[in-house]
Amino acid sequence: MYCTASGVLKKHMLRITLKELQEQLNSSSKYVQKTHRSYLVNLKAIEEITGNAQGYQLSLTNCPLLVPVSRANITLFNAAYGEL
């Protein structure tokens, strides 16, 4: 898991499944969305969305990684991101 603390990106190792993590995070924040098989994203951290109907790539605040949005998750992602 990657988190930003004081503007610095830090990696944390967790010993739980992604589904369990999503349930824990969704209980405290409704802005966490599963975008791909192994990615959860805070929707408020999205800076830019690129791509097309074949899949998106997300650029996040203070993160050099591009996060994919799979074709299977595009509809759910668009609905959740549209509610911001």
Side-chain angles (χ1 to χ4, degrees):
M1 177 170 101
Y2 288 95
C3 294
T4 303
S6 303
V8 177
L9 186 66
K10 294 186 178 186
K11 184 177 179 179
H12 300 278
M13 294 295 292
L14 300 176
R15 301 250 183 237
I16 60 174
T17 65
L18 193 63
K19 184 176 182 177
E20 291 171 337
L21 177 61
Q22 184 177 15
E23 290 170 359
Q24 288 178 14
L25 293 174
N26 281 335
S27 67
S28 63
S29 173
K30 63 180 183 175
Y31 301 111
V32 175
Q33 178 73 31
K34 184 174 182 179
T35 61
H36 200 271
R37 177 185 293 181
S38 57
Y39 291 91
L40 293 176
V41 171
N42 180 349
L43 298 175
K44 288 187 168 187
I46 297 173
E47 286 186 342
E48 183 181 12
I49 301 172
T50 57
N52 54 31
Q54 297 300 311
Y56 296 155
Q57 294 286 320
L58 307 177
S59 297
L60 305 176
T61 306
N62 297 325
C63 182
L65 305 172
L66 289 176
V67 177
V69 178
S70 68
R71 288 180 297 191
N73 290 325
I74 285 179
T75 304
L76 294 172
F77 172 79
N78 287 336
Y81 192 68
E83 292 179 7
L84 286 180

